[in-house]
Amino acid sequence: MLIPLIFLSYFGSLASAIFLSAIAYDWRYSVISHLISPRNNPKFHAVASFGIAITGLLIIPFAGYINRRMRVASSLGANIGTVAFASGAIWLILAGIRELGAVTGRLVQAEQLYTAAHSRLQNVVELTKKTPRRPRVLCLEWIDPYYCCGHWVPEMVELAGGEDALGRKGADSVPISWTDIAALSPEILIVSPCGFGAEEAAEQAKQLLQQRSWNDLPAILNDRVFAVNANAYFARPGPRVVDGVELPAHLIHPKLCDWRGSRNAFRKIHFSDIPSRRDP
């Protein structure tokens, strides 16, 4: 209730003063300057001044309310560790669920969530064990310049049954050269620009494949190029990291691993759909 009253008292009184004395509050001049140095119908300036005074009185209890809320939030936040959720290892990300559950008094629910996540990851590992070999995967976090994946993403690819030799497990992603990519000769290309959804990533992938130097890569020749919703499944160190393992598992081993998540999670990019190609 305080917020509407604050706005009503301030802007209502100001509007009333303007209405009562259009000349004194002509928009060609600064309203504030009229209030600071009253002239021309000072009684109407009193209307606005009175409204501002009431607004100030209303802000006092509102500020007290915000202060109390901030104290509660800060005391709770002081006890919550953020290191686990920001770490580069998936097991530490999942351990953060337990830590958060303990701090918030929801340990039972946290244990259930942790157990379910661990079970799903183990299921992916067991399924991908059935494949005779691990395909070479390139995850690109950015296309101009080329950036390899880092942090927990290489581990996600590993659990999903692939091998990303250019990825930096537990470390920052870094720029890579075309020479590095050509030497890897990836069999599967996953375009996952940080912060982008599947549609935006698809546009990035199409721009990438317009470069003629990519034509001879096995991933392009075998139609194994995918754009993914990196914002939802790759870029956030939280419980959805499990979905982020199941998604590349399906892209890498579609016959072994089903995808039951959102239909907007990825787009397959067909080389034949690229209208024109250019040199990098």
Side-chain angles (χ1 to χ4, degrees):
M1 286 296 294
L2 281 173
I3 294 178
L5 286 174
I6 290 171
F7 275 86
L8 182 62
S9 64
Y10 182 79
F11 291 105
S13 60
L14 193 60
S16 299
I18 294 170
F19 178 76
L20 290 171
S21 181
I23 296 176
Y25 287 91
D26 194 314
W27 287 113
R28 290 173 298 178
Y29 302 98
S30 171
V31 172
I32 299 301
S33 68
H34 282 297
L35 294 175
I36 294 175
S37 180
R39 62 182 183 276
N40 299 331
N41 302 319
K43 62 180 180 180
F44 296 128
H45 291 288
V47 174
S49 300
F50 179 75
I52 292 174
I54 295 297
T55 301
L57 292 175
L58 290 172
I59 286 176
I60 293 174
F62 179 70
Y65 170 81
I66 292 297
N67 183 51
R68 291 192 299 273
R69 287 292 183 178
M70 290 296 292
R71 285 181 179 178
V72 172
S74 61
S75 62
L76 178 61
N79 297 321
I80 299 177
T82 58
V83 176
F85 281 98
S87 297
I90 291 178
W91 73 270
L92 284 174
I93 294 173
L94 297 183
I97 297 174
R98 284 175 161 171
E99 182 180 357
L100 186 61
V103 171
T104 58
R106 296 292 186 271
L107 189 56
V108 173
Q109 293 88 334
E111 287 290 344
Q112 293 173 345
L113 184 59
Y114 176 88
T115 301
H118 186 271
S119 176
R120 288 169 59 188
L121 288 177
Q122 189 60 37
N123 180 60
V124 172
V125 171
E126 293 300 323
L127 288 173
T128 55
K129 279 182 180 179
K130 300 175 183 179
T131 185
R133 57 181 295 275
R134 290 176 171 268
R136 298 184 303 277
V137 179
L138 173 61
C139 277
L140 282 179
E141 286 197 2
W142 205 249
I143 69 164
D144 187 15
Y146 307 134
Y147 262 76
C148 68
C149 64
H151 304 290
W152 50 87
V153 178
E155 185 182 2
M156 293 167 63
V157 173
E158 182 180 335
L159 291 172
E163 180 183 358
D164 187 355
L166 294 180
R168 289 164 49 86
K169 188 188 298 186
D172 292 342
S173 58
V174 296
I176 55 176
S177 68
W178 165 248
T179 303
D180 297 326
I181 296 172
L184 175 65
S185 189
E187 298 168 276
I188 297 169
L189 172 61
I190 299 177
V191 181
S192 57
C194 186
F196 282 33
E199 295 297 337
E200 296 168 310
E203 292 302 317
Q204 294 283 304
K206 291 175 183 177
Q207 292 178 32
L208 188 70
L209 297 191
Q210 288 178 3
Q211 301 174 11
R212 293 183 181 276
S213 54
W214 290 72
N215 290 16
D216 296 329
L217 294 180
I220 284 76
L221 294 174
N222 297 321
D223 213 19
R224 302 294 303 279
V225 180
F226 304 95
V228 298
N229 186 338
N231 192 41
Y233 301 103
F234 289 79
R236 300 183 182 185
R240 200 181 286 184
V241 72
V242 179
D243 301 78
V245 173
E246 293 174 338
L247 178 54
H250 172 68
L251 302 180
I252 298 169
H253 303 290
K255 294 182 179 179
L256 293 176
C257 304
D258 295 329
W259 172 248
R260 298 184 176 88
S262 170
R263 296 175 59 184
N264 295 321
F266 70 95
R267 296 287 184 271
K268 187 170 185 177
I269 309 301
H270 300 281
F271 187 55
S272 58
D273 294 337
I274 307 302
S276 62
R277 293 181 289 279
R278 56 180 173 81
D279 292 327

